[in-house]
Every structure is written in structure tokens, then in C-alpha cells.
């Protein structure tokens, strides 16, 4: 294939080796991202319960922006990988350029909307008397949403052509910058929670700058974007959005539901509880790193195999990914359960949060129960995206979050305790994980049966 690189050879070679080769750098990048989230919470928690709760209130909107960027990035990644599987470099270049264009358009729409509605939306999200602290954190994030979304798209572009180590590098660099700047901005410059937000924004700008430099200067990448590739291309945009649209919507729905869940947590445990609840999910995402990394690798590898029409390789890749991600998540969940008291102590060290130590430790134990099965949400969703059934992943995610919300509201109405909420969360996440995994396997069998009986498509140059 014209312009073959180490990355494309990884995508088109042995599927298990390809998943491991891509998952390791993706996992390292996710490790630093989650470490960055944890460090954010640690530095802010030292400011007191109100500051940590402000992060918890704004966190769902921030993660929606992350979700949009990652969703579009997955769409671009799948489109580029399929083009590589078909042997078409021109299609891969066009997919990358159209992905950047879509990111710009989405940001142009979102930024003014978020800025104008910021103050009024804080009350809806349960800010209460913390409105100013929430706005201090929200404004820098909102005004910089282009860089947040573009970072996810560019990371997806690099993964789509198998350059997972470069994708890792831009994310790790951003996380390190954020970790370094957090204490400087929050304490040395006395910016408080706003300092945490600006440190995050600068980190995303650094990531985007690194990726842009490589695409402008590097000669070892498969994708080379020219001005011509930015011309509107309905077919390419449709291919990107067929995966990226549902995935961005899936992630956004998931995080949007967190706003209503925050209300319930506040009602049962107060504003301090919502800060610890959001911190708990940051820790959970840390435990799920391998599942998320293998899911990201699965999208790229199986999309290339879909382009080659190698469904035997896709089936084997999916089985390998599911088993591996469950096993690793189980191991880390056991470690979380054993160290739950120590972890809770770290995040409840300030005087006004010490009374929440027992509640947080209990919550972490419930996380340890359901996270191994929940890992199938990532692997199942990744497979559905690779075989062009991202809408199914979105519907599964919607159903899972509806179940979670029904469980939260029901338990709050009947029992009104945080423990009852953790029970509802455990049941909903186990059901959601099983549902996504089973649906993905059924759809793979149907698609492979249909496609393997169809005549082969003509290769493109």
C-alpha cells in the first residue's frame, strides 16, 4: 500500500498483537489523564468541601465536552482505519481534514451557548449557594471548548492510522502540564478553583499544538492533510458521523444524566457528598483504564479488518479484548476494595470533609463490585462502532442511564440514604455491561453472516 507505515502494518497484521500494541500507549495516555483528574481533585479538596463540590457540579458539562471530542475522535479513527483497510490514502486524508472541520463547527455553536447560559444553568445543576465558585471553574472551560474537542479528534486521527504512541504523547504531555500548573495556579497565584480550570485549558492547547506540528512537519505519518482535503465532502462527513455522531451523543447523554444524579446525591447526602461522588467516578475511571484502552484499540483494529472484510479476525479480537479487560479490571477492583479506607482518607483529609470518610469508603466498595462487568460497556461499544452499528451502542447507553436514574430516584424516595443509591448504581451498571456485551456479540454474528455472503468490494487506490 502506498505510504505504508509502522502504524498501518500494526492495523493490518495479527489482530491480538495489534490490539496489545495499540492498547499499551492508549492505556498510558489514559493513566496520565485519570491521574491528572485525581490530582485536580486532590489539590481542590484542600481548598475545602465547597470548592470540591463546585468541581462536582461543573464536572458533567466538562465531561460532555470531552465526550463530544472523544466521540468525534472515534468516528475519525474508524473512518481512517477503514480507508487503510481498503487501501485508500486519499480517503484517509479526507477523513482527517473533515474531522477537524466538524470539530470547529461544533465548537463555534457550543461556545457562545455555554457562555450565555452558564450562570442560569448552575442553578439547574444544583449549585445552590456555590454559584460563583462553579462559574469560576466553568468559564475558562467553556470559552476553550474548541481545544478540548479538537484534542479528542486529533488523538483519534493518530489512533486511526495506528500511531498510538504519538496519540499517547500528546495526551501525556497535556496531563503533565496540567499536573505541574495546578498548584502554581491554584495556590501560588491564588486563583483557587479558576486556577484548576486554566491549568486544564492550557494542557489541551499544548496537546493540540503537538499534534498540529506533527501533521504539518512529520514525514512518518500515513495521513497528510492538504488544503484540498478541507473542501466539503458529504460522503466522508457521513462516514465520520455515522460512528462519531452516535458515540458523541452516547457519551454526552451519559454525562448529561449525571446532572440529575447529582441532584439525588445532594438530596441524600448534601453538597459535600456530590463532590465525593464525582471523585469516586474519577477513581473508577482510573480502574477502567485497561478496558477503555482495549476498547480504543479495538475500534481501530476492527475497523481496518472491517475494511478488509476479515470477520474471523474481528470475532477473535473481540473475544480476546473482552476476556482481557474483565480480568484486569477485576484485579484492580480487588485492590480498590482492599485499599478503600486509605483512598477515602486521602480525599477526606480536610477538617470539613473528615465526617464523610466512612461514606466514601462504602461507595468505593460498591464500585469494586460492578466495575469488572461494567468494563463490557467499553469493549461492546467499541465493537459496535467498528462494524458500523454505533447507534446500537448509543441506545444501550441511553437504556443503561435511564435504569440508573430510575434506580437513584426510587431509592431516594423509598430509603433516602447514600447506601441505597450505591445499591441502585451497582445493579444498573452490571445490567448495562451485560446488555452492551451481549448486544455487540449478536450484531457481530449478524453482520458477519451478511457480509461474508456478499461479493467483495473493489479496492480503492
Amino acid at each position: 500500500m502506498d505510504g505504508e507505515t509502522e502504524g498501518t502494518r500494526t492495523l493490518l497484521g495479527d489482530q491480538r498483537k495489534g490490539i496489545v500494541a495499540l492498547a499499551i500507549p492508549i492505556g498510558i495516555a489514559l493513566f496520565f489523564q485519570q491521574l491528572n483528574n485525581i490530582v485536580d481533585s486532590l489539590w481542590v479538596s484542600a481548598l475545602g468541601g465547597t470548592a470540591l463540590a463546585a468541581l462536582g457540579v461543573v464536572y458533567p458539562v466538562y465531561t460532555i465536552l470531552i465526550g463530544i471530542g472523544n466521540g468525534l475522535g472515534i468516528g475519525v479513527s474508524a473512518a481512517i482505519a477503514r480507508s487503510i483497510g481498503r487501501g485508500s490514502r486519499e480517503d484517509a486524508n479526507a477523513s482527517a481534514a473533515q474531522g477537524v472541520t466538524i470539530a470547529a463547527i461544533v465548537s463555534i455553536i457550543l461556545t457562545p451557548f455555554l457562555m450565555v447560559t452558564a450562570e442560569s444553568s448552575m442553578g439547574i445543576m444544583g449549585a445552590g449557594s456555590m454559584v460563583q465558585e462553579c462559574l469560576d471553574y466553568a468559564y475558562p472551560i467553556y470559552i476553550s471548548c474548541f481545544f478540548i474537542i479538537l484534542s479528542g479528534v486529533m488523538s483519534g486521527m493518530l489512533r486511526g492510522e495506528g500511531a498510538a504512541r504519538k496519540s499517547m504523547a500528546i495526551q501525556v504531555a497535556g496531563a503533565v502540564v496540567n499536573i505541574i500548573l495546578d498548584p502554581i495556579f491554584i495556590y501560588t497565584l491564588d486563583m483557587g478553583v479558576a486556577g484548576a480550570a486554566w491549568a486544564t485549558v492550557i494542557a489541551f492547547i499544548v496537546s493540540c499544538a503537538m499534534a498540529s506540528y506533527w501533521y504539518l512537519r512529520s514525514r512518518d505519518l500515513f495521513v497528510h492533510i492538504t488544503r484540498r482535503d478541507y473542501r466539503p465532502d458529504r460522503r466522508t462527513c457521513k462516514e465520520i458521523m455515522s460512528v462519531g455522531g452516535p458515540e458523541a451523543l452516547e457519551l454526552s447523554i451519559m454525562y448529561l444524566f449525571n446532572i440529575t444524579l447529582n441532584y439525588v446525591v445532594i438530596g441524600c447526602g448534601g453538597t459535600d457528598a456530590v463532590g465525593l461522588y464525582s471523585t469516586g467516578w474519577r477513581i473508577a475511571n482510573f480502574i477502567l483504564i485497561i478496558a477503555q484502552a482495549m476498547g480504543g484499540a479495538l475500534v481501530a483494529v476492527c475497523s481496518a479488518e472491517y475494511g478488509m472484510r476479515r470477520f474471523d479476525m474481528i470475532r477473535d479480537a473481540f473475544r480476546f479484548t473482552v476476556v482481557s479487560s474483565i480480568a484486569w479490571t477485576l484485579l484492580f477492583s480487588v485492590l480498590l476494595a482492599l485499599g478503600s479506607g486509605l483512598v477515602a482518607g486521602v480525599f477526606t483529609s480536610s477538617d470539613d470533609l473528615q465526617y464523610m470518610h466512612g461514606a466514601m469508603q462504602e461507595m468505593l466498595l460498591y464500585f469494586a463490585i460492578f466495575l469488572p462487568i461494567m468494563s463490557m460497556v467499553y469493549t461492546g461499544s467499541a465493537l459496535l462502532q467498528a462494524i458500523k452499528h454505533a447507534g446500537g451502542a448509543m441506545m444501550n447507553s441511553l437504556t443503561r442511564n435511564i435504569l440508573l436514574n430510575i434506580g437513584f430516584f426510587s431509592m431516594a424516595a423509598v430509603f433516602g440514604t447514600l447506601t441505597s443509591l450505591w445499591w441502585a448504581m451497582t445493579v444498573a451498571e452490571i445490567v448495562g455491561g451485560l446488555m452492551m456485551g451481549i448486544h455487540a456479540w449478536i450484531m457481530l454474528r449478524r453482520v458477519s453472516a451478511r457480509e461474508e455472503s456478499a461479493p467483495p468490494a473493489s479496492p480503492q487506490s
Side-chain angles (χ1 to χ4, degrees), residues 327-339:
W328 281 104
T329 307
L330 177 61
L331 172 62
F332 289 124
S333 295
V334 170
L335 295 176
L336 175 64
L338 294 175

Side-chain angles (χ1 to χ4, degrees), residues 170-207:
I170 68 171
Q171 294 177 73
V172 169
V176 170
V177 168
N178 198 346
I179 290 170
I180 292 172
L181 292 181
D182 262 341
I184 296 174
F185 283 12
I186 295 172
Y187 296 105
T188 305
L189 300 180
D190 197 26
M191 296 173 68
V193 291
W198 281 114
T200 298
V201 168
I202 292 172
F204 279 113
I205 293 173
V206 168
S207 295

Side-chain angles (χ1 to χ4, degrees), residues 1 7-9 11-13 77-89 91-92 160-161 222 239 300-310 457-461:
M1 180 173 59
T8 59
R9 287 191 292 271
L11 290 178
L12 302 176
S77 175
I80 291 173
R82 288 192 197 114
S83 299
I84 292 171
R86 296 192 302 264
S88 175
R89 190 172 193 176
D91 285 353
E161 62 169 281
F222 181 78
E239 183 168 10
V301 170
C302 288
S303 292
E305 290 164 354
Y306 186 91
M308 295 189 293
R309 301 168 63 86
R310 289 297 304 271
S458 301
Q460 300 180 40
S461 58

Side-chain angles (χ1 to χ4, degrees), residues 50-65 114 118 121-122 125-127 130-142 193 197 255 258-259 262 274-275 278 282:
T50 300
L52 186 61
L55 256 67
V57 170
V58 180
Y59 188 66
V61 181
Y62 168 65
T63 48
I64 286 172
L65 296 177
L114 290 172
S121 66
M122 289 304 153
M125 292 189 291
M130 304 178 297
V131 171
Q132 189 55 54
E133 288 86 352
C134 292
L135 291 174
D136 288 344
Y137 186 75
Y139 279 138
I141 298 294
Y142 292 176
V193 291
Y255 298 131
N258 284 344
I259 295 174
N262 281 352
V274 76
S278 67
R282 293 185 183 206

Side-chain angles (χ1 to χ4, degrees), residues 152-426:
V153 170
M154 287 188 148
S155 181
M157 288 162 54
L158 291 165
R159 290 197 308 270
E161 62 169 281
R165 281 178 290 190
K166 280 186 166 60
S167 177
M168 172 194 73
I170 68 171
Q171 294 177 73
V172 169
V176 170
V177 168
N178 198 346
I179 290 170
I180 292 172
L181 292 181
D182 262 341
I184 296 174
F185 283 12
I186 295 172
Y187 296 105
T188 305
L189 300 180
D190 197 26
M191 296 173 68
V193 291
W198 281 114
T200 298
V201 168
I202 292 172
F204 279 113
I205 293 173
V206 168
S207 295
C208 292
M210 286 180 62
S212 299
Y213 175 82
W214 278 326
Y215 275 110
L216 290 171
R217 299 292 184 182
S218 178
R219 297 184 179 276
D220 61 349
L221 291 174
F222 181 78
V223 170
H224 292 285
I225 306 173
T226 64
R227 188 176 301 174
R228 180 185 63 182
D229 295 316
Y230 284 102
R231 291 183 300 188
D233 186 337
R234 182 178 297 180
R235 180 185 65 84
T236 302
C237 287
K238 183 178 179 181
E239 183 168 10
I240 292 171
M241 293 305 294
S242 69
V243 173
E247 175 61 10
L249 189 57
E250 174 190 344
L251 293 171
S252 299
I253 287 170
M254 182 171 64
Y255 298 131
L256 189 61
F257 271 119
N258 284 344
I259 295 174
T260 61
L261 297 179
N262 281 352
Y263 262 118
V264 181
V265 173
I266 290 172
C268 293
T271 55
D272 287 343
V274 76
L276 296 181
Y277 173 67
S278 67
T279 300
W281 272 109
R282 293 185 183 206
I283 295 169
N285 286 328
F286 206 90
I287 301 296
L288 290 165
I289 281 175
I290 291 182
Q292 293 172 359
M294 297 197 79
L298 189 71
V299 172
V301 170
C302 288
S303 292
E305 290 164 354
Y306 186 91
M308 295 189 293
R309 301 168 63 86
R310 289 297 304 271
F311 290 93
D312 56 329
M313 297 170 69
I314 294 175
R315 285 189 290 269
D316 181 70
F318 182 57
R319 284 192 294 264
F320 171 72
T321 303
V322 169
V323 172
S324 299
S325 62
I326 289 177
W328 281 104
T329 307
L330 177 61
L331 172 62
F332 289 124
S333 295
V334 170
L335 295 176
L336 175 64
L338 294 175
S340 58
L342 179 62
V343 174
V346 171
F347 290 97
T348 57
S349 58
S350 65
D351 293 340
D352 60 345
L353 283 176
Q354 287 180 3
Y355 78 101
M356 293 293 295
H357 178 275
M360 185 171 187
Q361 181 178 6
E362 181 186 42
M363 178 185 68
L364 294 177
L365 291 173
Y366 281 95
F367 273 110
I369 293 171
F370 68 75
L371 288 178
I373 302 301
M374 184 191 169
S375 68
M376 284 194 288
V377 167
Y378 300 97
T379 51
S381 178
L383 178 70
L384 289 168
Q385 292 152 14
I387 62 175
K388 295 189 174 183
H389 279 272
M394 181 190 70
M395 292 307 298
N396 271 283
S397 181
L398 178 61
T399 303
R400 170 173 140 257
N401 279 280
I402 289 174
L403 288 174
L404 183 58
N405 271 261
I406 291 173
F408 263 49
F409 279 101
S410 299
M411 293 297 103
V414 176
F415 299 103
T417 65
L418 290 175
T419 299
S420 65
L421 300 186
W422 310 152
W423 269 109
M425 179 173 63
T426 300

